[in-house]
Amino acid sequence: MRKLLLPGMIIVSAILIIARLFYLQIIDDTFKLKSENISIKIKYDYPERGYIYDRHGELLVANQPSYDIMVVPREIKTLDTLEFCNLLHITKEDFIKKIEKAVVYSPMLPSVFLGQLNKLEYAAFQEKERKFEGFYIQKRSLRDYQIDAGANVFGFITQANEAIIKRNPYYKSGDLLGKQGVEETYETELRGIKGVKHIQRDRFNREIGPYKEGRFDTIAVQGKDITLTIDAELQKYGEALMKNKRGGIIAIEPSSGEILALVTAPSYNPAILVGRQRSRNYTKLYNDSLAKPLYDRSLLAEYPPGSPFKILTALAGLQVQAIDTSSSFVCNHGFSYGRGRFMRCHCGGGVRKLHMGIAKSCNAYFGNTYLRTINKFATPSEGVDVWSGHVKSFGLGQFMGYDLPTGRRGNIPTSKTYQKAYPNGGWRATAIVSNSIGQGEVLMTPIQLANMMATVANQGYYYTPHIIKKIKGQQIDKKFRTKHVTTIDKKYFKPVIEGLSEVFKTGTAYFLNVEGIEICGKTGTAENFAKINGKKVQLADHSIFVAFAPKENPKIAIAVLVENGGFGSTTAGPITTLMIEKYINRKITQKDREKRVLEKSLQSEYNKFTRKFIDSMYKLKVKKDSVTRVLSKKKADSIKKATKTV
């Protein structure tokens, strides 16, 4: 039996190899197709990308035809280079560079020689295309934006680079794909599937028809249309209100987590990143390192949340029973929490309970509440971790899981944060009390602030914020329909909501009411520091406002943050109430308020920072030049001395 085992294995292996070779060479033509690709020309048929609509069915992004001149370097014959260059308005040097680049990619495969021709350029070249062997026109489609807003929502279309082509074999040189925004997130759905045609060529390189009667050809599949949760009218209005300002506006529907507006400022018209000038315009936007129009502040910028964070301080205090609705603290125009340590307050002073503590934004009330919360436990470390857990249950200090390709965690400190800061221990709650008013180590993005208010509006739960409402022919991700419940009992939200309602009656936003709409909100003013040349410099405060409306069955939760805007009630507050009225009533009655906001510019504040930055760089240069001169003098003296010695 052992003698037969080895010969048997050899015979079986040989049979399997022969069978596989027979299948590959006789039955399956795919390897033959690849081996004969020198005589087979592959043509791609690019489908239109899916259209993009807003929540009301308004068309936001369509398509327009585009034409690329493709080149296969190996197929180039003798051509009149001068005529070719004049026809396309390029120099001979440009021609040589583009050909060299194409050869590096592949001498035998097509790549883009000149992309995104307009109709006139296309017509001129098509008329003489037969004279330029090795070149042909590839039709594609570019985006056609129906509105001049929402650039950060949409993203843009760009050519696939070498890294992407290596990572994903679907893409070839010259292929277009979505970058940033929904174009990137839903690239697979929007792009569709390109069709492929295999053309047989004879020994004279002439096309003689489909290879194998088109057996391997595929038909292009149109990209899927998508509907966004965005309200186009609200998005455009928000961008208008933020003109000449920097910051972000996020509006969410609390009952679903759908993002109604996603505004970042400054922004740009999405149409400028389409066509032959796309690269030049993108470079200008990218190089603007001060205004940062490509930087989505609504998702990426991490700010101290300021007074809106007091909402969470109150809820955590109620949950651990460090306070109740009748707990009161005396405010002496601030809060003294240690020798020489004083937290100023502008609430007017007096005895404060929860209701008026929220309405008047009393620092003393929330400082005391925070200390009681932490000191409720055996050690500060345990207290901070319990507090941190409650706060994080609102989706803070972590990536939120929304369907946009960019974002930041923010920061909610834990005991580990302070163990690193105080390696020898000995820290107490008084050392970190600034967390109570949204300063200290606490950082949040505008979308996290908006989601916090949506959670309060829902009295303890939220849905992951998302921007997709519908994809033609398929379901949206089920995670956007999953309810997230906080660790705060529902009963504790009601007194906090009453305090937020009081803000618009007798509190810090009493002059920002909108007739017919009961708004619950919170003003915020966050200190703002920047590092210039290694030094911490204080700049004008950030203006913050969070709200939801109406009080019963809320339809919108919103966060507005304006950099260097000052008090929350003076800059972010009016923007918030205008956005709420626009969404709920579809019109604006507060015309004077609207006029003030539209005309308000904070460019002078931003120029102050620019001047400080330039001045610091100048001083640094002067200092370096001075050091250089001293060193040069010392070196010269040393050489002179050495020469004398010799």
Side-chain angles (χ1 to χ4, degrees), residues 466-537:
H466 54 283
I467 208 160
I468 191 72
K469 190 171 182 68
K470 184 171 63 178
I471 302 174
K472 189 175 182 179
Q474 72 181 68
Q475 289 276 329
I476 66 169
D477 196 319
K478 65 179 182 180
K479 74 177 182 179
F480 300 132
R481 303 189 299 274
T482 302
K483 183 186 288 188
H484 302 276
V485 181
T486 71
T487 57
I488 306 296
D489 295 341
K490 182 178 179 179
K491 63 182 180 182
Y492 294 125
F493 284 89
K494 291 182 179 179
V496 170
I497 289 173
E498 289 302 323
L500 295 173
S501 177
E502 190 68 32
V503 168
F504 280 87
K505 295 173 183 176
T506 61
T508 53
Y510 73 91
F511 54 90
L512 290 175
N513 278 298
V514 177
E515 188 176 352
I517 304 175
E518 188 171 4
I519 305 174
C520 299
K522 184 75 191 73
T523 55
T525 306
E527 289 185 335
N528 172 31
F529 297 92
K531 275 194 174 181
I532 301 178
N533 193 19
K535 291 183 180 180
K536 190 176 182 181
V537 178

Side-chain angles (χ1 to χ4, degrees), residues 126-171:
Q126 187 184 42
E127 190 178 328
K128 298 185 177 182
E129 183 179 354
R130 57 185 175 74
K131 297 174 66 176
F132 309 123
E133 289 188 70
F135 296 89
Y136 68 93
I137 289 176
Q138 175 71 65
K139 184 179 179 181
R140 305 181 198 272
S141 62
L142 298 179
R143 282 314 206 182
D144 185 13
Y145 296 98
Q146 307 302 299
I147 63 172
D148 58 3
N152 62 312
V153 174
F154 305 136
F156 55 89
I157 304 300
T158 187
Q159 282 191 14
N161 57 35
E162 291 182 15
I164 292 172
I165 293 169
K166 286 180 181 179
R167 192 165 60 245
N168 189 338
Y170 174 86
Y171 297 102

